[in-house]
């Protein structure tokens, strides 16, 4: 789950992580009011979409750029009017673009130096790791590749939490001293609290900046949350903006299905994440192109299978379906009934290959065979993949 | 022999009265597993299927029945507590089936278990099976949710992060007439109790295990670490498979997500390293067993 820039600022404000002054606006009037509130500061207005590349993007109404300097409240209102309820296209949105329903008016800060700061959950040490670099404002992957010595990591004890000496080490690694060091230390401690309190998987600030007037600010942030922990964070769940997500994935999530849309034309419906990935791999191996990852989970109901089927068929690129179920937890017959119910409802306009194995497989296969539907049965994964690739052509 | 559990292992199930736990406890009983106790707070004194005593706490269950292994089926918000309760009661092998436990809960559990005599398998895993000697491997120890009818007693050890890929490999082996010593699903979460390498070490030390299938996926370095260990220490033939060659970067494919710092995180890189370490890498998930048999000289 991603959040908007203005929502990241809300989280920063709540945990006292300093960031540039700013306010969110849904109307030109609100944008003007925000500009008046910060009068005296150099201001910028930014369209709120999850995609990057906003500055160089364009709106479908012809207006250029999703980020602009503004000089007056009137100009804030004018630009907001051209951005709000319009569609912004950037290198990351695809041609369809993203509808802008909010803009942020924020202080445009002057920068002395750009740093990198992130906190991640590290698998190997089973605890948080803090990553800092003096090389901020660029891709951390590039820094890691070109100048790995400029990335400093500090592992944090999973239960003891962030220690003062760890903060001092990281401060020293960034070469900060005096009041800037003090500000950074406070920012880092507060960011760590945010990371733990909100069950984050990742918080990345790039860049973290120092300013000529002696401030340390989080200029741009990216958040990743642990999906498993969202149940205890209704406030974060409320930040979800479904209009930013792939509609197929939104529909899938409503049925607790694990779906990721891809660009190919062979859809797959599989139980278990590992098998779902392997099914995509084997389709590719035999010359096909998977249209999605779809894990119906261990205990899927008939309703979920029907929903999964509909989501798959709603994708106009899909020219064939491979169902691959190894029923351990799952009853093969439940899958069979779900498939038949769905196929009857949708009419099954494209080839369907089904490979069932495991729990109650005989009954599942019998149910499919008795359905009278045009379903091709497969015995192994390889058999199923070859059959669907051949059917799609 | 086998690893971790055998036909005499006494099992308890935490969350035995929930629908999921009950269903699989019942299947384990039907398989001949020595299921000696269930635990559901507030239901102590009742019996599961008129034969397995239910207790309010794990320590009561352990004290009364001598159970040494536990299968956990409790919902995610309570799973960390259930693992810690089992460790506190001295359960030697804790197998957590629960999917969806917050990562930070597991982070704290993992730390709490350091130095403990309990071993954790999972979470988010299918559990493990040591097949029995009876018809359709009846009489084995089934902990978790694996379909036992696909298992057969034999000499191949199987370790995997994914449940359904474990079943796939085991099914292929059994169809070709090769049984398993033990199959272990270690789980798809980023923080788990036992990794590939630890299981490989056990298989390497187990006289009954003659060959091994190691199944992994994108993300993290567990498979690569295990392969590098095996190159130096494991004398038994190993076949490997890595899922996720077609997974788009940066997306969480059902299981846990990828993390910075990983040129070794991709399926292609992992396969290459496995091969360099002397593991026979299966081209497709349909070839896991045949790839092993070829390497094994069967």
């Amino acid at each position: 789950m991603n959040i908007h820039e203005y929502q990241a600022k809300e989280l920063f404000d709540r945990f006292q992580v300093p960031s540039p002054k700013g306010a969110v606006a849904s109307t030109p009037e609100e944008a003007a009011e925000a500009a008046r509130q910060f009068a005296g500061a150099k201001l910028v207005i930014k369209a709120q979409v999850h995609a990057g590349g906003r500055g160089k993007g364009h709106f479908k109404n012809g207006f250029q750029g999703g980020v602009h300097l503004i000089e007056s409240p009137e100009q804030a209102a004018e630009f907001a009017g051209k951005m709000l309820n319009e569609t912004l296209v950037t290198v990351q949105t695809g041609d369809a673009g993203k509808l802008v329903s909010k803009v942020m008016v924020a202080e445009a800060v002057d920068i002395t130096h750009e740093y990198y700061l992130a906190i991640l959950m590290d698998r190997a040490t089973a605890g948080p790791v803090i990553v800092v670099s003096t090389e901020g404002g660029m891709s951390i992957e590039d820094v890691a590749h070109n100048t790995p010595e400029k990335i400093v990591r500090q592992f944090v004890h999973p239960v003891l939490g962030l220690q003062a000496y760890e903060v001092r080490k990281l401060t020293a690694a960034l070469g900060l001293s005096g009041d800037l060091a003090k500000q950074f230390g406070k920012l880092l401690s507060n960011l760590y609290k945010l990371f733990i309190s909100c069950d984050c998987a990742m918080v990345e600030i790039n860049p973290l900046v120092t300013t000529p007037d002696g401030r340390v600010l989080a200029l741009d942030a990216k958040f990743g949350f642990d999906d498993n922990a969202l149940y205890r964070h209704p406030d974060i769940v409320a930040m979800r903006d479904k209009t930013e997500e792939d509609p197929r994935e939104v529909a899938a999530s409503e049925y607790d299905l694990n779906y990721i849309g891809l660009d190919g034309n062979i859809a797959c419906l599989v139980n278990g994440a590992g098998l779902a990935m392997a099914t995509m791999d084997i389709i590719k191996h035999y010359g096909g192109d998977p249209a999605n990852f779809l894990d119906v989970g261990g205990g899927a109901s008939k309703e979920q299978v029907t929903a999964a089927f509909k989501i798959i068929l709603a994708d106009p690129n899909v020219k064939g379906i491979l169902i691959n179920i190894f029923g351990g937890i799952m009853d093969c017959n439940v899958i069979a009934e779900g498939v038949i119910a769905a196929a009857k409802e949708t009419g099954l306009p494209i080839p369907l290959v089904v490979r069932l194995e495991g729990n109650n497989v005989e009954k599942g296969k019998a149910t499919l065979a008795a359905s009278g539907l045009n379903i091709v049965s497969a015995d192994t994964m390889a058999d199923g993949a070859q059959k669907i690739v051949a059917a799609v052509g | 022999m086998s690893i971790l559990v055998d036909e005499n292992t006494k099992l308890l199930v935490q969350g035995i009265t929930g629908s999921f736990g009950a269903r699989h406890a019942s299947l384990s009983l039907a398989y001949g597993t020595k299921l000696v106790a269930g635990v559901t707070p507030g239901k102590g004194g009742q019996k599961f299927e008129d034969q397995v005593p239910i207790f309010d706490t794990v320590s009561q269950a352990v004290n009364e029945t001598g159970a040494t292994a536990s299968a956990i089926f409790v919902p995610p918000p309570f799973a960390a507590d259930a693992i810690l309760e089992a460790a506190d009661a001295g359960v030697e092998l804790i197998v957590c089936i629960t999917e969806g436990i917050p990562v930070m809960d597991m982070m704290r559990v993992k730390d709490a278990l350091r130095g403990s005599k309990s071993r954790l398998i999972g979470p988010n895993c299918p559990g493990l099976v040591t097949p029995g000697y009876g018809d359709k491997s009846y009489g084995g120890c089934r902990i978790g949710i694996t379909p036992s009818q696909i298992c057969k007693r034999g000499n191949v050890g199987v370790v995997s992060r994914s449940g359904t890929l474990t079943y796939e490999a085991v099914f292929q082996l059994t169809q070709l007439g090769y049984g398993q010593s033990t199959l272990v699903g270690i789980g798809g979460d980023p923080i788990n109790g036992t990794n590939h390498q630890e299981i490989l070490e056990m298989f390497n030390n187990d006289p009954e295990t003659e060959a091994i299938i190691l199944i992994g996926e994108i993300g993290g370095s567990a498979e690569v670490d295990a392969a590098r260990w095996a190159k130096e220490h494991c004398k038994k033939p190993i076949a490997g498979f890595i899922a996720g060659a077609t997974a788009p970067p940066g997306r969480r494919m059902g299981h846990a997500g990828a993390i910075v710092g990983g040129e070794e995180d991709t399926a292609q890189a992992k396969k290459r390293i496995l091969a360099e370490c002397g593991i026979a890498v299966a081209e497709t998930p349909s070839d896991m067993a045949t790839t092993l048999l070829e390497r094994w000289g069967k």
Side-chain angles (χ1 to χ4, degrees), chain A residues 124, chain B residues 158-161 184 186 192 194-204 212-217 219-242 264 269-281:
Chain B
V158 180
V159 56
S160 169
R161 273 206 253 168
V184 187
I186 58 174
N192 60 8
T194 299
N195 60 33
H196 282 98
Q197 183 182 322
E198 291 168 280
I199 301 293
L200 273 193
E201 291 180 25
M202 292 179 217
F203 281 139
N204 197 38
I212 301 159
I213 292 183
L214 179 148
I215 304 164
E217 59 196 44
S221 63
E223 297 86 351
V224 164
D225 295 341
R228 289 185 173 136
W229 176 87
K231 186 184 181 185
E232 299 298 321
H233 304 283
C234 188
K235 303 295 171 232
K236 299 177 181 179
I238 307 176
F241 177 73
I242 303 290
E264 293 184 355
K270 285 189 180 184
K271 284 181 181 175
R272 177 176 51 76
I273 296 166
L274 259 58
E276 284 167 8
C277 293
I279 294 174
V281 179

Side-chain angles (χ1 to χ4, degrees), chain B residues 273-298:
Chain B
I273 296 166
L274 259 58
E276 284 167 8
C277 293
I279 294 174
V281 179
E283 278 283 311
T284 80
S286 259
D287 307 325
M288 292 187 283
T290 50
T291 303
L292 179 72
L293 296 187
E294 194 179 314
R295 172 59 52 98
W296 196 5
K298 296 285 178 182

